Amino acid sequence: MRAFILLLPLLTRPADGERLTCTADTALCLGEGEELVNGGARASIRLKGILHLMLLDFDVTPLRGRTVEEARLFLHPTGPHKLRRLGLSTVSSPWTEGRGAGEPARAGETCFREAARGERPWAPPDLDFHAVSFGRGGSIWFVREIRSEPDGWISVDLPPALLHARVEGKSFGLVLSDESGQSGANNDIYAREQSGKAPYIRILRARPGAPPPSGARLYSDLPRPQEKQIADRTAEFLRPAPKPAPPPPARLADGCSWKILYEDHGSPDAPAAGRLWDGRAVSLAAARGEHVGFLIAVEVPAGQTRTVSAAGEGWSVAQVLPVGTGYDPLVPAAGTASGKVLLHAERYVPKDAPAGEFRHPLRLSTGRAQVDIPVSLRVHASRLPDALSFRVSLNAYRSPGEWAGPGGDFLAMERAAHRLAHEHRATLSVLPYTHRGSIVHGMAPEIRRRGADVEIVSWDAWDARFGPLLDGSAFQGLPRAGTPVDHFYLPLHEQWPLPINEFYAYRGPIEDHWRDAPPIEQAFPESYARTLKSVTAAFGRHLAARGWTRTDYHLYLNNKNYIRYNRGEKEGAWWCLDEPMYLEDFLALRYFGRIFKEGAREAAGARLRFRIDLSRPQWRRDLLDGVVDLDVVSGAYVRYPHFVFGIPGEEVWVYGAVAAPPTPPGSGRAWVLQSFLDGADGVVPWLALGTPEAWSEPSETALLLPPRAGLDPRPYPTLRLKLLRRGQQDAEILRLLMAKRGWTREEIRRGLAAPLGLAASYRQAGADDAGRFDFGNTDPDRFEALRRAALEALDRP
């Protein structure tokens, strides 16, 4: 009897090499235009980076009642391949193989966008495959190295938990991904339709008895968040009044006509701003600490010229110049003009202004003809904060000091650009290093290096240049005088203070990096990490010692490996650190981020934050959780908000570009409001400094313009910059209202998105990965109605 019992494990153990048969497989295509493709009948299925996945299922019946201890997945490539690692994940939602060979899925068939075409999404309400795989939706995932096998086969270690999850009924098969995506290769694998080369699993070791729980869960078993009953609490302050009819243009004695426009329209052909102007007087409303403004459109009779200007105490008036078929650059209003002329008038309401109704007339002149425009301004009790709660970060890759030209005052020009941004409740943020990894002159403290040891020997020049930005003294005389820049790039990155090529273990060509580079934790000596950490800590200690603690300092990796790939250079990053795509990129970010954060923890007082710019949040998985402080995400967040918002410890900004003229400049205002309502706390125009050509050619990336011949040598604003500030102020007003009423942003969003026409126009216009946001069809009258109603609500107890 005892001998029989001893033999039981042997009798119940699978025979060596027992196979599990592939019962279904299909291709998931993620490329634009291919997301509805079904590949259930294909003879081969492609694995390629972030573009092609392989979905499989196997007969796991022989595993019931057993614990798998070792297994391998076998695949047969159709030919040469560049696979080094595979990602393997459970799938937490059911699917159907289908009969497609590359055409759109038929009803009920599986594709990337839907588990069953036209019948069922992968996860409600309309989430794609990312929601049920690679750590999301209850799935579990692993990465394993492949091994070459005889006769052209390859295999990969298959973690038993993946099989146990299938036996438990907590998974509907496996999905495979190419985690060597940096190679860019097409890797085709024979599907089960190819006799003799179909995928299979070999069980190498197993024992009797139920295994421990796999940890996987089905999406359908996850606790559903309770549906919040969100009342439209905004109804008590936003009561859409009938839109006022725009009054006809008024006339001056010399035959010129004029009208008042919303800033948002930015075109002299726009209808008059009925909520601001009734044909006799202009009526404005503002919080204390707020900038308010409008446009004056003047039309000079055909064939004639006039000197068009406007002035009044406390008013700042500029002319909006045409560019392309629209209007954008702002210059002093002077000189003769003909045809249609556009003026921008604005005033700042001091923070200590008394609440009440005030008169601030404005005189419009067209040559010798003049008209006094009555303007009433109602000042509300609420006050906008000097410290920004919603950020407009004007990104730049070179200092505007260069605009001074040879022999010019570089520092004065740079400081003037920072002041211009600050005046518009924005922050000019200049990256201090190049894509090749070299520090821009003067944008890092002086260091002395001996091998891997780095000592900061002088802060003097760095402090003299940037200290006034960090203590606020550079902004004396401006509305937020004494308030430092909101955020600031530090020069720390993968090439400074130590050059990467001297310390990174891989020395081969970039083309072979995917195959031959060691894991990043093993690719650098401990001395490299130690120095990066110590210099990070030194920055933090210095900033704290100087009292520059009101600014967020961004530890940001901007470089990409395209310098090496496309230009054949031997400098630059080995990974795509900005807008990461592949596993190697995210692992590199995690490596550097952990070092930065260790250094930051050693320097209490300074606000050092690890920032990433993420264009593909769906591929982040859980690789950066607990590492990132600031996630600057592309317009892809519209499709994947559940992968962006609500991650503990992370703030979210949205990057993009404000559409150039002739799109109305109010597009920028709407972008800010939409981002705020969706859950973000900032927007980042990815390039804000224009070139000389931007004076004559519309450019999305020209919000501040360089000096122009015939004008004072200083930076110049655009109307789009004004409207970004208008949106920032709107967000501040809503934040004040939320604090006073105890409302959540979700409640504000529920009440406002539809009346403002935001969400609908946003998803209609869309934003591609380049991040172009176009809200040209929004109605500024609705925005003005909201703003005034919110100010009135803040006045009420």
Side-chain angles (χ1 to χ4, degrees):
M1 181 69 177
R2 183 183 175 199
F4 178 75
I5 293 173
L6 291 174
L7 284 172
L8 266 178
L10 299 176
L11 295 174
T12 58
R13 181 176 176 178
D16 182 42
E18 179 179 359
R19 289 191 178 197
L20 302 183
T21 304
C22 181
T23 57
D25 57 20
T26 189
L28 296 179
C29 304
L30 287 66
E32 186 176 353
E34 296 184 312
E35 294 172 314
L36 299 179
V37 164
N38 174 264
R42 282 181 169 175
S44 65
I45 296 174
R46 179 159 294 172
L47 286 170
K48 181 179 183 179
I50 61 174
L51 294 176
H52 295 274
L53 305 176
M54 186 175 190
L55 185 58
L56 313 96
D57 199 7
F58 294 86
D59 179 9
V60 295
T61 303
L63 302 182
R64 298 191 185 282
R66 296 172 176 174
T67 295
V68 176
E69 296 180 325
E70 184 180 358
R72 296 193 74 82
L73 170 65
F74 285 76
L75 306 168
H76 200 299
T78 63
H81 65 87
K82 292 186 176 181
L83 293 171
R84 176 179 176 178
R85 304 180 186 92
L86 289 184
L88 306 105
S89 171
T90 61
V91 181
S92 61
S93 187
W95 53 281
T96 304
E97 180 181 44
R99 295 171 284 120
E103 62 271 11
R106 304 174 183 86
E109 292 183 335
T110 286
C111 59
F112 169 73
R113 287 289 296 152
E114 297 179 85
R117 182 78 175 109
E119 298 174 3
R120 180 174 52 82
W122 284 103
D126 59 352
L127 304 184
D128 62 33
F129 184 73
H130 286 299
V132 296
S133 59
F134 292 103
R136 297 193 175 99
S139 61
I140 57 175
W141 71 289
F142 304 85
V143 176
R144 293 293 186 266
E145 300 271 337
I146 70 161
R147 184 175 76 192
S148 296
E149 303 285 355
D151 301 322
W153 287 85
I154 60 174
S155 73
V156 63
D157 173 61
L158 190 63
L162 296 172
L163 291 170
H164 297 156
R166 186 69 183 98
V167 175
E168 293 167 1
K170 301 301 183 182
S171 173
F172 294 93
L174 294 174
V175 61
L176 310 182
S177 61
D178 165 23
E179 299 298 337
S180 314
Q182 199 180 70
S183 71
N186 295 327
N187 306 291
D188 294 326
I189 305 297
Y190 283 119
R192 74 187 187 98
E193 284 76 8
Q194 187 68 25
S195 177
K197 296 181 179 179
Y200 69 91
I201 293 171
R202 179 176 292 165
I203 306 301
L204 300 178
R205 285 190 301 118
R207 59 180 173 79
S214 67
R217 293 187 292 175
L218 297 181
Y219 190 91
S220 58
D221 291 343
L222 296 179
R224 298 269 79 78
Q226 286 190 335
E227 188 67 29
K228 296 180 181 177
Q229 298 300 316
I230 302 173
D232 181 6
R233 299 218 230 168
T234 59
E236 68 180 79
F237 74 89
L238 180 62
R239 297 180 178 87
K243 184 176 181 178
R251 293 199 171 273
L252 288 96
D254 63 353
C256 292
S257 62
W258 63 278
K259 58 185 176 180
I260 302 297
L261 309 177
Y262 293 112
E263 293 176 291
D264 309 52
H265 273 141
S267 168
D269 297 322
R275 203 170 295 275
L276 300 185
W277 183 54
D278 60 5
R280 298 180 299 276
V282 175
S283 171
L284 301 176
R288 292 181 289 179
E290 185 179 6
H291 297 258
V292 289
F294 54 87
L295 298 172
I296 308 172
V298 179
E299 186 163 0
V300 178
Q304 301 180 28
T305 60
R306 298 284 193 279
T307 301
V308 179
S309 63
E313 184 179 356
W315 289 99
S316 174
V317 180
Q319 183 176 351
V320 190
L321 296 183
V323 57
T325 58
Y327 289 75
D328 202 29
L330 270 68
V331 299
T336 58
S338 60
K340 297 174 180 178
V341 181
L342 197 59
L343 301 179
H344 179 266
E346 74 175 30
R347 69 181 300 116
Y348 170 69
V349 180
K351 294 187 288 290
D352 58 357
E357 197 87 18
F358 302 92
R359 301 286 182 265
H360 299 290
L362 191 64
R363 175 167 290 181
L364 173 65
S365 302
T366 58
R368 295 182 179 178
Q370 295 180 340
V371 62
D372 288 329
I373 306 173
V375 180
S376 66
L377 172 63
R378 182 183 175 188
V379 178
H380 290 265
S382 51
R383 179 186 289 113
L384 298 192
D386 285 346
L388 308 175
S389 71
F390 188 96
R391 283 78 170 192
V392 176
S393 181
L394 304 174
N395 189 67
Y397 296 109
R398 58 188 176 89
S399 170
E402 296 177 11
W403 290 345
D409 193 331
F410 180 98
L411 186 59
M413 183 69 72
E414 179 180 78
R415 193 71 52 78
H418 278 284
R419 285 175 60 85
L420 184 60
H422 197 275
E423 180 184 357
H424 288 82
R425 297 183 68 87
T427 302
L428 179 60
S429 195
V430 182
L431 195 74
Y433 55 86
T434 70
H435 285 302
R436 290 180 176 82
S438 57
I439 294 291
V440 177
H441 178 70
M443 298 193 78
E446 183 183 347
I447 62 174
R448 179 186 298 122
R449 181 184 156 218
R450 296 184 181 88
D453 295 324
V454 170
E455 177 188 4
I456 297 177
V457 296
S458 177
W459 291 94
D460 293 348
W462 193 86
D463 286 0
R465 180 174 177 181
F466 299 116
L469 304 178
L470 305 177
D471 65 16
S473 61
F475 307 115
Q476 293 305 313
L478 296 181
R480 297 189 297 126
T483 303
V485 290
D486 177 82
H487 51 277
F488 187 87
Y489 286 128
L490 293 183
L492 291 145
H493 65 294
E494 75 283 354
Q495 294 249 56
W496 191 90
L498 293 175
I500 192 172
N501 281 353
E502 292 185 28
F503 293 88
Y504 188 52
Y506 180 70
R507 295 287 193 274
I510 185 67
E511 294 79 8
D512 296 334
H513 185 261
W514 65 272
R515 184 188 65 215
D516 298 334
I520 190 165
E521 290 83 1
Q522 303 170 20
F524 287 102
E526 190 276 333
S527 59
Y528 175 88
R530 183 183 65 243
T531 296
L532 190 55
K533 173 183 171 181
S534 68
V535 175
T536 302
F539 260 97
R541 287 192 294 268
H542 179 73
L543 295 167
R546 294 301 303 265
W548 298 336
T549 56
R550 292 181 289 163
T551 295
D552 284 344
Y553 298 95
H554 291 181
L555 301 160
Y556 169 54
L557 300 172
N558 176 70
N559 290 338
K560 301 180 180 180
N561 52 14
Y562 80 90
I563 289 286
R564 293 178 183 268
Y565 264 117
N566 297 342
R567 301 183 187 176
E569 298 189 13
K570 296 182 179 180
E571 298 177 353
W574 290 96
W575 316 270
C576 200
L577 301 172
D578 172 47
E579 300 179 308
M581 292 185 284
Y582 308 122
L583 177 70
E584 298 100 319
D585 306 331
F586 288 101
L587 292 178
L589 282 169
R590 186 173 70 181
Y591 170 79
F592 288 110
R594 286 174 171 172
I595 295 172
F596 286 147
K597 291 179 76 71
E598 287 176 9
R601 282 192 289 269
E602 292 186 3
R607 290 158 31 183
L608 274 58
R609 310 181 73 202
F610 182 54
R611 161 185 168 165
I612 61 169
D613 279 19
L614 193 58
S615 60
R616 302 168 184 86
Q618 65 273 31
W619 288 101
R620 170 182 166 168
R621 301 169 181 170
D622 56 0
L623 293 167
L624 297 177
D625 291 1
V627 178
V628 174
D629 300 305
L630 174 60
D631 180 3
V632 182
V633 68
S634 75
Y637 90 86
V638 176
R639 183 167 172 180
Y640 297 106
H642 45 298
F643 297 165
V644 172
F645 298 109
I647 299 176
E650 292 188 21
E651 186 175 335
V652 177
W653 298 357
V654 179
Y655 77 81
V658 184
T663 298
S667 173
R669 177 187 192 178
W671 176 31
V672 170
L673 267 177
Q674 181 75 68
S675 299
F676 171 77
L677 293 174
D678 284 345
D681 289 308
V683 295
V684 183
W686 73 271
L687 187 57
L689 300 182
T691 63
E693 291 74 25
W695 284 98
S696 56
E697 294 293 331
S699 171
E700 293 179 345
T701 56
L703 299 172
L704 279 68
L705 298 178
R708 180 182 181 183
L711 299 175
D712 289 342
R714 61 176 174 84
Y716 286 85
T718 58
L719 194 54
R720 286 179 296 154
L721 181 62
K722 301 287 181 186
L723 269 298
L724 283 170
R725 180 178 63 189
R726 177 66 270 153
Q728 196 282 333
Q729 294 178 144
D730 293 341
E732 295 284 8
I733 290 170
L734 289 178
R735 187 93 72 177
L736 292 173
L737 191 60
M738 290 165 57
K740 181 167 186 174
R741 301 290 179 186
W743 295 343
T744 65
R745 193 172 344 205
E746 190 174 25
E747 289 170 326
I748 293 283
R749 180 172 65 246
R750 177 66 60 91
L752 296 189
L756 291 177
L758 274 174
S761 66
Y762 180 58
R763 280 144 183 81
Q764 215 170 36
D768 58 22
D769 279 348
R772 178 180 178 274
F773 295 85
D774 185 348
F775 292 85
N777 59 340
T778 52
D779 183 356
D781 184 80
R782 294 182 182 180
F783 287 82
E784 184 62 21
L786 159 69
R787 195 178 70 85
R788 293 187 181 217
L791 288 171
E792 291 171 2
L794 283 167
D795 284 346
R796 295 199 295 270

